[in-house]
């Protein structure tokens, strides 16, 4: 089984149609689950049995679901090659469903309903075993809604672990591996709603105060979008019609007829809300909407004193305190519980003894961001500290199993309960966010999260239409934007990144940060096939063009491997190396994340993993800043492997003890 693919060779395939990947691709395409070495031990041995055959062999338990699959046409699909996760409701589950909907028999269920039921219970992109994930999202089903796994214990059976799909469908049998995926038998229909996120929140009887505020401020209206109807359809001749893609697709490399570039077929708008239940407000003496309005005014008048009192009577004004309060709870992308920081299968590459895994997101309250971290397998917002040692505790996001039985996701989003009042306070602005702010490149547009997400096939790139990437303006001859998957072999932070290819001229809107002086950097992997990029901040050049082809050990950069001895002399030597590199405008990668399985392969130890210092400048939280990135070389096969962006405040990079290496 392949455990490492050189990203240089992969991208050569992407750019010029010649790659070592071609020689490996048959294995990559055929070893998903039909190799017993690649799947967990299961309760049912089905080495040569497809999912359809497994269901047929268990007629006494799932015959009703088989009938639904057959009526909708999906039974035949489960007989073919693929990579499916099937949640098969047992006959008792189907009987309960029919009784609650007044269907006397399977034949009474309309074909359209059978189609929806079938798609709701099948994930087409990956075989998900319970051994691969504890709690969190298993990805989108064929009905384009998320299936979330939660875990509880059965007190009547020696506290045995019990798995649930979307909280109510208990997996009475699970991890039955089949040749084309895995089958889990459940005792209830997996619930699904077609409601939009505001209405799903409004249906939650435990969150009435938040719901009132959401609708009074008009922010509910901002959460109603779903599908971009202006997004052009892909036709059979689309590649020849669209000059932005013709060049790249003509040079595609194929493996057994499969195009490794997966173009986004639909564009979605999705959202995440972090919701305080009424019980949280009541702990703070807030029992109704008027008391929440008073609380919001107290907080946001302190944060924005020049606006105090000006907008109190206009709840829909974006500078109104309650509007700011609610908006700060909202993010314009879908973030399942276990994907807020990164996918859990990549967390094993993070050294949590050095620092907590974290990520930052812009919120729907203008000029604000949230800091998320994941210490001790718990998700927090605006926490400052390491593991259990928090200087500022922050707000904990509750796991699915801690959040009752309400449906919390829908086609255009998801909401999570939080355990305390979330607000953009002066403490958050001045202390929590007084840190090195590192944005993964995929965070810089919600379209990398919302459209055809998540990207489970780690051996492909996902291609995006240039005019449909929010916060990105892409121009240039033969320019292509691609997101690569989350395979552990990538020499990238969080094992993914954005490839920007062609003779591109790209402008990215930067997320807001608290006012102050910042050193702005970009993380990337160097490679002879990259390119030379001129960076600008608000159209002011950031020094000379950066040659991304040069490896770190070139004298112009000065990368030297760390001295590994645990002595003061070694630490001083490493600091001297870092200082010399920084004087040249470069830094090593971070030491908290490593490539593959070996901790020794921390990105800091890889000569091609670098940070480039763009500029140092005062940033005003009330202003908008744009990073322009222009390919200087006239070679369309060159590209930029964009890993992350850092905005590091002077209090960190200029501290007396020096910036840490994390």
């Amino acid at each position: 089984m392949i455990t490492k693919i050189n990203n240089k060779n992969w991208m050569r395939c992407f750019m010029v149609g010649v790659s070592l990947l071609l020689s490996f691709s048959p294995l990559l395409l055929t070893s998903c689950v039909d190799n017993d070495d690649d799947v967990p031990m299961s309760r049912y041995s089905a080495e040569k049995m497809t999912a359809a055959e497994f269901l047929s062999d268990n007629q006494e338990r799932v015959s009703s679901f088989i009938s639904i699959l057959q009526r909708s046409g999906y039974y035949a699909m489960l007989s073919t090659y693929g990579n499916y996760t099937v949640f098969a409701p047992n006959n008792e589950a189907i009987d309960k469903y029919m009784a609650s909907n007044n269907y006397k028999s399977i034949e009474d269920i309309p074909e359209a309903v059978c189609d929806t039921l079938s798609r709701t219970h099948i994930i087409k992109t990956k075989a998900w075993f319970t051994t691969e994930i504890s709690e969190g999202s298993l990805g989108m089903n064929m009905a384009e809604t998320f299936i979330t796994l939660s875990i509880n214990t059965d007190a009547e059976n020696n506290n045995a672990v019990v798995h649930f799909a979307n909280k109510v469908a208990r997996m009475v049998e699970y991890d039955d591996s089949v040749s084309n995926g895995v089958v889990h038998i459940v005792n209830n229909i997996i619930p699904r709603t077609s409601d939009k996120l505001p209405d799903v929140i409004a249906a939650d009887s435990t969150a009435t105060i938040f719901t009132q505020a959401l609708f009074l401020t008009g922010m509910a209206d901002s959460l109603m979008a779903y599908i971009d109807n202006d997004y052009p359809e892909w036709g059979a001749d689309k590649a020849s019609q669209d000059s932005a893609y013709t060049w790249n697709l003509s040079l595609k490399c194929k493996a057994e007829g499969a195009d490794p570039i997966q173009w986004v077929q639909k564009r979605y708008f999705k959202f995440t809300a972090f919701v305080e239940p009424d019980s949280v407000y009541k702990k703070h003496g807030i029992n109704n909407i008027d008391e929440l309005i008073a609380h919001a005014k107290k907080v946001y008048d302190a944060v924005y004193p020049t606006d105090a009192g000006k907008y109190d009577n206009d709840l829909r004004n974006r500078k109104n305190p309650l509007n700011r309060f609610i908006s700060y709870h909202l993010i314009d992308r879908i973030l399942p519980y276990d994907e807020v920081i990164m996918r859990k299968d990549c967390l094993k590459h993070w050294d949590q003894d050095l620092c907590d895994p974290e990520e930052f997101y812009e919120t729907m309250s203008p000029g604000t961001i949230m800091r998320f971290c994941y210490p001790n397998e718990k998700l927090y917002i605006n926490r400052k500290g390491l593991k259990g040692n928090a200087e500022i505790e922050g707000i904990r996001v509750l796991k699915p199993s801690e959040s009752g039985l309400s449906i919390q996701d829908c086609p255009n989003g998801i909401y999570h309960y939080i355990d305390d009042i979330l607000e953009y306070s002066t403490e958050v602005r001045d202390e929590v966010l007084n840190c090195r702010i590192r944005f993964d490149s995929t965070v810089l547009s919600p379209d990398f999260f919302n459209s055809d997400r998540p990207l489970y096939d780690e051996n492909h790139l996902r291609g995006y239409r240039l005019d449909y990437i929010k916060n990105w303006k892409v121009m240039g001859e033969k320019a292509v934007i691609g997101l690569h998957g989350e395979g552990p072999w990538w020499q990238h932070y969080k094992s993914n990144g954005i490839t920007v290819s062609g003779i591109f001229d790209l402008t990215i809107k930067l997320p807001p940060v608290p006012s102050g002086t910042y050193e702005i950097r970009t993380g990337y992997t160097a490679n002879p096939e990259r390119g030379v990029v001129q960076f600008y901040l608000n159209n002011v050049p950031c020094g000379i063009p950066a040659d991304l082809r040069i490896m770190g050990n070139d004298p112009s950069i000065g990368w030297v491997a760390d001295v590994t001895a645990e002595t003061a002399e070694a630490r001083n030597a490493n600091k001297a190396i870092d200082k010399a590199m920084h004087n040249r405008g470069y830094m090593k990668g971070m030491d908290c994340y490593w490539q593959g399985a070996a901790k020794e392969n921390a990105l800091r130890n890889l000569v091609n993993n670098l940070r480039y210092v763009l500029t140092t400048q005062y940033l005003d939280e009330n202003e908008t800043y744009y990073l322009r990135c222009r390919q200087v070389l006239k070679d369309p096969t060159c590209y930029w492997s964009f890993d992350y962006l850092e905005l590091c405040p002077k209090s960190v990079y200029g501290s007396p003890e020096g910036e840490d290496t994390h």
Side-chain angles (χ1 to χ4, degrees), residues 65 69 85-89 94 116-123 141-143 147 169 186 188-191:
F65 184 57
L69 290 170
T85 301
V86 181
F87 295 89
I94 301 295
T116 299
L117 285 171
S118 298
R119 290 185 292 111
T120 299
H121 290 81
I122 301 172
I123 295 175
N141 56 24
M142 294 184 67
I147 290 183
V186 295
N188 266 309
I189 294 291
I190 294 177

Side-chain angles (χ1 to χ4, degrees), residues 105-179:
S105 66
I106 297 294
E107 289 69 29
D108 288 340
I109 304 176
E111 287 190 9
V113 176
C114 287
D115 181 82
T116 299
L117 285 171
S118 298
R119 290 185 292 111
T120 299
H121 290 81
I122 301 172
I123 295 175
K124 193 177 181 180
T125 52
K126 182 176 174 61
W128 281 108
F129 294 86
T130 60
T131 52
E132 294 182 272
I133 190 169
S134 54
E135 285 204 60
S137 168
L138 300 185
M140 284 192 292
N141 56 24
M142 294 184 67
E144 298 182 341
T145 56
F146 277 86
I147 290 183
T148 299
L149 182 69
S150 57
I151 294 177
N152 214 322
T153 55
D154 188 345
E156 296 181 0
N157 291 289
N158 297 318
N159 292 322
V161 173
V162 182
H163 298 83
F164 291 88
N166 287 17
K167 298 187 178 182
V168 300
R170 177 173 175 169
M171 296 160 66
V172 294
E173 182 176 322
Y174 48 88
D175 292 345
D176 286 320
S177 61
V178 292
S179 63

Side-chain angles (χ1 to χ4, degrees), residues 31 38 76 82 113 202 207 230 235 260 269 271 322 350 363 373-374 384 415 486-487 507 527 532 578 634 646 661:
S31 64
D38 296 335
V113 176
D230 295 328
F269 304 109
F271 308 91
L322 184 66
W350 194 295
T363 79
C373 65
Y374 193 72
K384 185 175 183 179
Y415 75 94
E486 299 173 292
T507 299
N527 188 292
V532 178
D578 289 346
K634 299 302 180 182
E646 286 184 351
T661 55

Side-chain angles (χ1 to χ4, degrees), residues 93-337:
I94 301 295
D95 288 343
K96 286 188 290 185
Y97 172 79
M98 290 194 298
S100 64
N101 289 275
N102 297 316
Y103 298 128
K104 294 182 179 180
S105 66
I106 297 294
E107 289 69 29
D108 288 340
I109 304 176
E111 287 190 9
V113 176
C114 287
D115 181 82
T116 299
L117 285 171
S118 298
R119 290 185 292 111
T120 299
H121 290 81
I122 301 172
I123 295 175
K124 193 177 181 180
T125 52
K126 182 176 174 61
W128 281 108
F129 294 86
T130 60
T131 52
E132 294 182 272
I133 190 169
S134 54
E135 285 204 60
S137 168
L138 300 185
M140 284 192 292
N141 56 24
M142 294 184 67
E144 298 182 341
T145 56
F146 277 86
I147 290 183
T148 299
L149 182 69
S150 57
I151 294 177
N152 214 322
T153 55
D154 188 345
E156 296 181 0
N157 291 289
N158 297 318
N159 292 322
V161 173
V162 182
H163 298 83
F164 291 88
N166 287 17
K167 298 187 178 182
V168 300
R170 177 173 175 169
M171 296 160 66
V172 294
E173 182 176 322
Y174 48 88
D175 292 345
D176 286 320
S177 61
V178 292
S179 63
N180 59 348
V182 62
V183 178
H184 311 291
I185 296 178
V186 295
N187 71 346
N188 266 309
I189 294 291
I190 294 177
R192 181 182 183 273
T193 178
S194 58
D195 289 342
K196 301 297 173 50
L197 185 58
D199 295 321
V200 172
I201 295 172
D204 188 339
S205 62
T206 70
T208 62
I209 299 175
F210 183 92
T211 297
Q212 280 185 275
L214 182 66
F215 282 84
L216 284 172
T217 57
M219 291 310 299
D221 299 337
S222 301
L223 306 182
M224 295 300 290
Y226 177 37
I227 295 178
D228 185 351
N229 293 319
D230 295 328
Y231 189 79
E233 292 185 4
W234 287 89
D237 59 346
K238 177 60 185 171
S240 62
Q241 293 175 357
D242 191 338
S243 61
Y245 297 99
T246 301
W247 171 79
N248 186 63
L249 289 177
S250 69
L251 296 178
K252 65 187 177 184
C253 48
K254 290 188 175 182
E256 295 188 353
D259 182 0
I261 305 168
Q262 301 176 346
W263 299 102
V264 170
Q265 300 299 307
K266 297 180 182 179
R267 188 185 188 214
Y268 296 98
F269 304 109
K270 299 184 181 183
F271 308 91
T272 299
F274 298 90
V275 175
E276 296 98 348
D278 294 341
S279 57
V280 168
Y281 289 135
K282 289 178 180 178
K283 289 180 182 178
H284 293 270
I286 299 171
N287 299 287
N288 54 54
I289 188 64
D290 291 331
E291 291 174 345
L292 181 60
I293 290 172
H295 175 85
K297 177 174 172 57
K298 180 179 179 181
V299 172
Y300 286 93
D301 280 0
V303 178
Y304 304 102
T306 59
D307 293 335
K310 293 182 180 180
Y311 310 99
D312 291 0
N313 297 323
D314 184 2
L315 296 179
R316 289 177 174 255
N317 191 295
R318 301 312 307 277
K319 293 184 178 181
N320 171 272
L322 184 66
N323 195 295
R324 278 174 158 151
F325 178 88
I326 287 296
S327 299
Y328 192 66
H329 289 66
L330 310 175
I331 294 178
D332 64 349
R333 63 204 71 195
I334 190 163
L335 296 172
Y337 180 85

Side-chain angles (χ1 to χ4, degrees), residues 293-526:
I293 290 172
H295 175 85
K297 177 174 172 57
K298 180 179 179 181
V299 172
Y300 286 93
D301 280 0
V303 178
Y304 304 102
T306 59
D307 293 335
K310 293 182 180 180
Y311 310 99
D312 291 0
N313 297 323
D314 184 2
L315 296 179
R316 289 177 174 255
N317 191 295
R318 301 312 307 277
K319 293 184 178 181
N320 171 272
L322 184 66
N323 195 295
R324 278 174 158 151
F325 178 88
I326 287 296
S327 299
Y328 192 66
H329 289 66
L330 310 175
I331 294 178
D332 64 349
R333 63 204 71 195
I334 190 163
L335 296 172
Y337 180 85
D338 65 323
E339 294 187 26
V340 175
I341 306 295
M342 59 201 300
R343 285 206 58 81
K344 275 194 174 181
D345 53 353
C346 291
L347 272 174
K348 59 179 178 261
H349 305 297
W350 194 295
D351 191 338
Q352 297 192 43
D353 290 330
L354 296 179
C355 61
D356 293 334
E358 67 178 12
E359 188 55 86
F360 298 81
Y361 292 93
E362 183 174 2
T363 79
M364 293 177 69
S365 180
T368 65
I369 58 175
M370 281 189 202
R371 180 182 184 179
F372 290 87
C373 65
Y374 193 72
N376 303 320
E377 298 190 354
K378 293 180 180 179
L379 180 63
Y380 286 85
I381 304 172
N382 294 339
R383 185 179 190 273
K384 185 175 183 179
L386 174 63
K387 290 188 173 181
N389 302 316
E391 300 173 43
I392 298 173
E393 185 64 29
I395 311 298
R396 190 166 77 83
V397 182
L398 273 59
K399 297 179 180 180
S401 61
E402 300 174 301
S403 302
L405 297 180
S406 297
I407 296 177
Q408 292 180 262
D409 63 326
C410 61
N412 81 327
I414 191 170
Y415 75 94
H416 305 284
Y417 290 140
I418 50 181
D419 75 344
D420 208 343
I421 297 181
L422 175 64
E423 52 204 18
Y424 186 71
S425 63
T426 54
E427 180 182 61
V428 169
R429 182 192 62 193
D430 300 337
E431 297 186 44
V432 173
L433 296 176
N434 183 22
C435 64
R436 177 182 50 231
I437 300 172
R438 181 182 294 146
F439 298 99
D440 188 73
S441 59
T442 62
V443 167
L444 298 177
S445 173
D447 284 295
F448 297 132
F449 284 67
N450 292 338
S451 298
D452 289 349
R453 197 184 187 284
L455 182 62
Y456 289 124
D457 193 337
E458 299 158 346
N459 308 308
H460 288 69
L461 286 180
R462 173 156 294 150
Y464 292 83
R465 289 184 180 275
L466 304 186
D467 295 331
Y468 294 88
I469 307 174
K470 184 178 179 180
N471 299 331
W472 290 44
K473 182 179 180 180
V474 189
M475 300 183 297
E477 182 183 355
K478 302 172 183 175
V480 177
I481 302 295
L483 164 63
H484 72 66
E486 299 173 292
W489 46 80
W490 286 91
Q491 297 174 347
H492 275 152
Y493 175 60
K494 299 190 178 179
S495 301
N496 62 14
I498 303 295
T499 57
V500 188
S501 61
I503 307 174
F504 58 83
D505 193 338
L506 163 67
T507 299
I508 303 171
K509 182 180 102 44
L510 298 186
V513 292
S515 296
T517 299
Y518 290 83
E519 187 172 85
I520 304 175
R521 316 156 178 162
T522 180
Y524 70 101
T525 53

